[in-house]
């Protein structure tokens, strides 16, 4: 309530008069108050919209932009108002803060924009009033999460680049986790999927009754007993494939213990164990009964599909995250079942030949009624039983309907998050490609300009006018800067490539082209650096160099001076701004050796050496 | 046999009773039946008291402030209390913000009573201005009068030792416990004794307004400090 305090200050000081007669010591003198000018109305012009307020209002918060003398920087003496080139809609909220002491958060604006405005006017985000604070925090957190996801996706890329010296294990693991990376992995992925399907279908078909070939009476056998060999062979094949896959995964896993404990591996084990147990168990009558039970577990093979389907994984994850709601549902249902079963039992006890023989027997009736199934195998016959039965079914509907929306919303949220991540990854590639295109446009402009001889010092007015087709003032300054940079390094027009005859140049160009092409990209890279993009063009240059050695050649010979200027190099590392590694060929004065170094360097080092060379 | 019958009959009755109660509750919820006499007058009490001050010219005539000063004061006042009146709670809050280190509620209470001249439980803008006018622009006599009024809790024209002790304790409470050097427990009492020795001329145990004004006018310190809070606006 800082605003309030300022208002009440006169009152508090005046009330101090009450202490005066009691004071035993002389009171300190009052501070020198400069003559107050009285209140005046200030005009604040924000992008054309005029806001007028009392000066006192703004003075309430002296540590903000508007309350301090900082606003004098924005004072326009001609019009007598303070001009801010910012968003007028947002300013409304800022000004209201001064007036009412509470900062409200606009619902329909982007939270990032709001934050920026606050930062500009010197308001701390903690000033957001209680009424809007929760929503503000939620939206900010959501935004931060989304941005973090963006960054993660960007860094993860589409499959991490494997270091060249990765072992078989690592490659295998990667093939298993991202089937899209290589054809073999994809094939393996589909094959396992196929066999899972085959196995499940075989299990199902096994139990269908087939007609006996001899048409003996009406006895029908399930297909499993009619064709035991066929089914056994199919089962064996599937289990072999699954076992092989499991062992391979176990071998390739970076952390075996963690893999053993993971859910998918457990499912794998459960899927293949029954078969082996069946092999090992002798065909005794008493044991084979237990063995039949094991067959049930074969159905878990269907869960192996979750590796192939993301939707299944999402469903599983949702159920796991809604565990508390499900738990609550179960608990309340149990309570209700017990209560109603007890009541129904005692209500129906008097009837003879009743189905409600005990309370647990009544459980079945309660469950069937509460879930509105109503089989009708157990029905109450007394009036009391009917009354309580109807109450039971009504309450069942309510209890079950309650947690369901929570689960649904959870699922929807997770599903959409996943969709969003996928969409963003797809869009990211397009977006980056477009950005790269735009940037290369700028750098091409520079090279074009140089080719047109725009850098000639002796350009007369008309020539220059020709070259300066449609370059903005900014571009002019920018190109001038780059030119200055080039001129900073000592260059003799042909000192290095004086013997730039085509033959040697060609030979060199192949090696040079490595650096040249990457150098012309290097200057692009330089510009890119200037624009703040950290992307490695090395792969690009390597592919393009093979594609167009001629272009680079031409470039080399025509604008030889300029390229030479660029390649002028690293000779004096002292001259170059010291941003490259110190380990770079700094000592080498010979450009040739440097070039050789650079061309022999590993692809990854290209960008760095290129940077040097362009300097 | 009989027990079985009783059981089922009993349950039947219970079931019917449950149904009747549930339906009654449902009807009550729907608003068709009213059980308790929930008065609708509760709504009216929520209406806030609104107060508009008298005309600017009148206030200007009554007090020693100029029009501009009145305008500034009223704008601040209205911003803080849109309803136009200040109640005791707000008073206490304001004072506690100015003196956070101690407990200023008691002194704020006395102050409130001093400002609230018509004793209606709320300080309107006129009361506010009246008080401020005296304290900031009044004569020494008026100020001392006001101070006497503050100390005289029951407004009977006499300041007794008990009243003085209350006031003194309130002021010492405002100081809080974190003083250096630490104040003794009976510091207020001693202070009161000193005060009474100075003020009470005829030693009858009470201080009247004349004694008070007379003693204060003789004291140099008090006279000088009266000028302290002159130009507050």
């Amino acid at each position: 309530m800082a605003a309030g305090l300022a208002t009440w200050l006169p009152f508090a000081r005046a009330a101090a008069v009450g202490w005066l007669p009691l004071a035993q010591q002389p009171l300190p003198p009052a501070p020198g108050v400069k003559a107050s000018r009285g209140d005046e109305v200030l005009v604040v012009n924000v992008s054309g919209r005029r806001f007028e307020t009392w000066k006192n209002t703004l003075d309430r918060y002296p540590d903000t932009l508007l309350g301090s003398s900082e606003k004098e920087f924005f004072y326009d003496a001609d019009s007598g108002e303070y001009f801010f080139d910012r968003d007028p809609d947002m300013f409304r909220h800022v000004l209201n803060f001064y007036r009412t002491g509470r900062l409200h958060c606009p619902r329909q604006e982007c939270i990032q924009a709001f934050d920026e405005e606050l930062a500009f006017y010197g308001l701390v985000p903690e000033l957001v009033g209680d009424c809007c604070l929760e929503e503000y925090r939620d939206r900010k957190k959501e935004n931060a999460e989304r941005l973090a996801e963006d960054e993660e996706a960007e860094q993860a890329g589409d499959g991490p680049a494997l270091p060249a010296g990765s072992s078989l294990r690592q490659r295998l693991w990667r093939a298993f986790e991202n089937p899209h990376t290589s054809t073999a992995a994809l094939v393996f992925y589909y094959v396992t999927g196929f066999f899972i399907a085959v196995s499940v279908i075989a299990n199902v078909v096994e139990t269908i009754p087939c007609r006996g070939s001899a048409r003996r009476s009406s006895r029908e056998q399930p297909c499993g007993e009619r064709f035991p060999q066929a089914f056994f062979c199919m089962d064996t094949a599937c289990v072999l494939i699954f076992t092989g896959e499991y062992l391979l995964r176990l071998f390739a896993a970076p952390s075996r213990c963690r893999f053993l404990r993971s859910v998918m591996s457990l499912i794998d084990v459960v899927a293949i164990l029954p078969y082996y147990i069946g092999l090992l168990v002798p065909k005794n009558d008493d044991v084979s009964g237990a063995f039949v039970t094991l067959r049930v577990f074969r159905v878990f093979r269907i869960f192996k599909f979750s590796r192939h389907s993301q939707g299944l994984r999402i469903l599983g994850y949702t159920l796991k995250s809604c565990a508390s709601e499900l738990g609550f549902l179960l608990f309340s249902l149990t309570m209700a079942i017990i209560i109603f079963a007890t009541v129904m039992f005692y209500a129906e006890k008097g009837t003879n030949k009743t189905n409600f023989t005990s309370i647990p027997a009544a459980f079945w009736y309660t469950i069937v009624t509460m879930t509105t199934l109503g089989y009708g195998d157990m029905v109450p016959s007394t009036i009391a039983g009917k009354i309580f039965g109807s109450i039971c079914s009504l309450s069942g509907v309510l209890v079950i309907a309650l947690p369901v929306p929570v689960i649904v919303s959870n699922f929807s949220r997770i599903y959409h998050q996943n969709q969003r991540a996928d969409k963003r990854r797809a869009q990211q590639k397009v977006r980056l490609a477009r950005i790269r295109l735009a940037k290369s446009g700028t750098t091409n402009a520079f090279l074009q300009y140089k080719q047109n001889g725009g850098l000639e010092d002796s350009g007369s007015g008309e020539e220059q006018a020709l070259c300066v087709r449609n370059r903005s003032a900014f571009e002019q300054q920018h190109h001038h800067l780059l030119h200055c940079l080039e001129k900073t390094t000592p260059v003799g027009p042909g000192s290095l490539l004086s013997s730039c005859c085509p033959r040697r140049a060609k030979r060199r160009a192949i090696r040079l082209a490595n650096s040249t092409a990457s150098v012309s990209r290097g200057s692009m890279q330089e510009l890119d650096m200037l624009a703040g993009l950290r992307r490695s063009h090395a792969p690009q240059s390597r592919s393009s160099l093979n594609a167009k050695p001629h272009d680079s050649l031409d470039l080399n010979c025509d604008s030889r001076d300029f390229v030479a200027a660029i390649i002028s190099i690293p000779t004096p590392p002292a001259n170059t701004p010291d941003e490259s590694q110190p380990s770079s060929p700094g000592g080498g004065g010979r450009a040739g050796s440097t070039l050789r170094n650079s061309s022999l360097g590993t692809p990854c080092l290209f960008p760095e050496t290129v940077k040097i060379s362009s300097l | 046999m009989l027990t079985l019958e009783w059981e089922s009959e009993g349950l039947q009755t219970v079931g019917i009773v449950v149904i009747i109660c549930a339906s009654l509750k449902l009807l009550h919820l729907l608003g068709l039946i009213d059980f308790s006499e929930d008065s609708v007058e509760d709504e009216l009490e929520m209406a806030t008291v609104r107060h508009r001050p008298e005309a600017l010219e009148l206030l200007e005539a009554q007090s020693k402030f100029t029009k501009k000063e009145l305008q500034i004061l009223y704008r601040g006042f209205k911003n803080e209390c849109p309803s136009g009146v200040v109640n005791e709670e707000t008073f206490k809050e304001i004072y506690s913000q100015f003196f956070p280190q101690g407990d200023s509620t008691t002194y704020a209470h006395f102050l409130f009573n001093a400002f609230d001249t018509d004793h209606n439980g709320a300080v309107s803008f006129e009361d506010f201005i009246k008080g401020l006018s005296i304290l900031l622009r009044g004569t020494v006599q008026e100020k001392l009068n006001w101070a006497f009024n503050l100390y005289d809790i029951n407004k009977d024209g006499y300041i007794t030792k008990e009243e003085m002790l209350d006031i003194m304790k309130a002021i010492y409470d405002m100081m809080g416990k974190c003083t250096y050097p630490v104040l003794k427990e009976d510091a207020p009492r001693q202070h009161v004794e000193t005060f009474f020795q100075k003020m009470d001329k005829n030693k009858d145990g009470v201080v009247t307004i004349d004694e008070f004004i007379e003693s204060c006018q003789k004291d140099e310190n008090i006279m000088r400090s009266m000028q302290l809070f002159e130009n507050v606006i």
Side-chain angles (χ1 to χ4, degrees), chain A residues 4-5 7-11 13-15 17-22 24 28-30 39 54 60 99 346-347 387-388, chain B residues 11 15 19 75-76 79-80 91 94-95 97-98 107 111 115 132 135 151 164 171 174 191 195 225 228-229 232:
Chain A
L5 277 189
T7 319
W8 296 114
L9 185 60
F11 151 69
R13 294 187 68 195
V17 168
W19 309 332
L20 293 180
L22 305 174
Q24 290 173 332
D39 221 351
W54 295 109
R60 282 190 195 146
R99 291 175 180 146
Y346 281 112
I387 291 176
F388 287 112
Chain B
L11 268 175
I19 293 229
R75 279 206 296 268
N79 208 19
E80 292 309 308
F91 238 64
I94 295 167
Y95 240 75
Q97 284 188 347
F98 272 108
Y107 189 66
L111 212 53
F115 265 95
L132 276 188
L135 290 170
Y151 301 148
M164 205 59 235
I171 295 183
M174 248 191 335
H191 201 150
F195 179 78
S225 33
L228 267 185
F229 301 104
V232 170

Side-chain angles (χ1 to χ4, degrees), chain B residues 2 9 12 28 38 44 72 84 106 122-123 125 152 155 160 163 201 230-231:
Chain B
L2 201 59
E9 288 284 328
Q12 204 161 305
H28 176 57
D38 293 319
L44 292 175
I72 296 177
T106 337
V123 169
F125 187 63
D152 187 10
K155 318 283 181 235
T160 63
E163 288 173 342
K201 290 293 182 287
E230 283 290 278
N231 51 346

Side-chain angles (χ1 to χ4, degrees), chain A residues 251-264:
Chain A
F251 164 68
S255 151
R256 299 226 168 97
C257 298
R258 205 156 57 95
F259 175 72
L260 280 177
R261 277 180 300 169
S262 74
V263 175
M264 290 310 302

